[in-house]
Amino acid sequence: AQTVTQSQPEMSVQEAETVTLSCTYDTSENNYYLFWYKQPPSRQMILVIRQEAYKQQNATENRFSVNFQKAAKSFSLKISDSQLGDTAMYFCAFASSTGGANSKLTFGKGITLSVRP
Amino acid sequence: GAGVSQTPSNKVTEKGKYVELRCDPISGHTALYWYRQSLGQGPEFLIYFQGTGAADDSGLPNDRFFAVRPEGSVSTLKIQRTERGDSAVYLCASSLRADGRGETQYFGPGTRLLVL
């Protein structure tokens, strides 16, 4: 079974600065998918970024980028130029590619990010 | 276009009662997932539908929990004889298809269930 670990329960960053959220995972598979989801107080989970394990290039989406270290099983999220609207819980998630069509997600416990004005 | 919707947004019930939680996925999405999120935790997988059939129900905690998707669109999660430990936010997600390639899941706002 896969596990996802987010060891930092909460972080705080000044508006316009850069913050990195950590995530490690454990799996015996060689190919899989990793995600970062954002959950604001409204509860709606929103996909931030997605990484395919067989791609060496780190995924980037505007101000969001990842540092994917496959050997270390590490998948951190960097948020540049932090904005007040980035305040939310962030979840790291894993999806297997060997479970057939089932792409169920395994989530970490999440990290609460607060952006200070 | 419309996203995933869930009703009700909040549900308060008494221990031992029966509840139904509804999920309307994005139109055309064939895959549908239910997750449960307890306070301070990440969502945990409950059940996955491909079309009308439950392809994986390994996450359902016990036989009090049941879900259906009779026409391959709307899904209902049913909880019998509710217990206080069932209190959580129940999230529904859908994806265009499920092909084992990390298809993006789109989440609804969830139903917060409180069992008194």
Side-chain angles (χ1 to χ4, degrees):
Chain A
Q2 293 82 19
T3 58
V4 177
T5 302
Q6 294 179 255
S7 56
Q8 307 156 303
E10 54 186 78
M11 290 190 73
S12 180
V13 64
Q14 193 75 34
E15 191 176 10
E17 293 188 346
T18 296
V19 64
T20 298
L21 311 183
S22 301
C23 172
T24 58
Y25 58 94
D26 190 23
T27 183
S28 58
E29 299 178 18
N30 188 50
N31 194 25
Y32 44 86
Y33 301 86
L34 296 164
F35 306 83
W36 279 97
Y37 275 88
K38 170 185 177 181
Q39 187 177 43
S42 66
R43 292 202 309 245
Q44 190 116 26
M45 296 276 264
I46 303 164
L47 178 67
V48 174
I49 202 164
R50 173 182 179 274
Q51 174 80 41
E52 300 177 49
Y54 66 87
K55 288 189 175 179
Q56 293 185 342
Q57 187 173 7
N58 289 323
T60 299
E61 285 288 341
N62 301 315
R63 298 183 295 108
F64 300 88
S65 61
V66 299
N67 183 3
F68 174 48
Q69 301 289 329
K70 191 173 184 180
K73 296 181 181 173
S74 170
F75 183 61
S76 61
L77 175 69
K78 185 172 82 170
I79 306 174
S80 303
D81 185 25
S82 297
Q83 300 176 359
L84 296 178
D86 295 335
T87 293
M89 280 204 74
Y90 287 80
F91 292 93
C92 179
F94 173 104
S96 170
S97 68
T98 60
N102 187 350
S103 296
K104 64 183 178 185
L105 296 169
T106 300
F107 286 88
K109 294 179 75 170
I111 177 171
T112 300
L113 176 67
S114 300
V115 180
R116 306 186 304 273
Chain B
V4 178
S5 62
Q6 292 186 245
T7 54
S9 54
N10 294 282
K11 176 72 177 178
V12 181
T13 191
E14 294 179 343
K15 180 175 177 297
K17 299 288 189 181
Y18 168 83
V19 297
E20 289 189 352
L21 312 179
R22 176 187 168 107
C23 172
D24 277 273
I26 293 172
S27 179
H29 280 196
T30 62
L32 185 146
Y33 300 81
W34 283 99
Y35 296 87
R36 180 167 72 173
Q37 186 176 19
S38 300
L39 192 62
Q41 303 294 317
E44 293 179 316
F45 169 77
L46 294 177
I47 186 169
Y48 151 66
F49 287 90
Q50 179 60 44
T52 60
D56 181 356
D57 64 358
S58 62
L60 295 179
N62 51 60
D63 61 6
R64 295 186 298 106
F65 288 75
F66 188 71
V68 296
R69 195 186 185 198
E71 297 179 358
S73 178
V74 171
S75 176
T76 305
L77 179 65
K78 308 180 181 194
I79 311 175
Q80 298 177 322
R81 304 182 305 281
T82 52
E83 300 177 356
R84 293 193 179 88
D86 299 335
S87 297
V89 175
Y90 289 81
L91 297 170
C92 176
S94 70
S95 64
L96 184 59
R97 56 185 174 273
D99 55 8
R101 297 180 184 177
E103 189 76 18
T104 296
Q105 294 183 27
Y106 297 86
F107 282 79
T111 293
R112 183 181 300 279
L113 176 66
L114 177 60
V115 182
L116 301 176

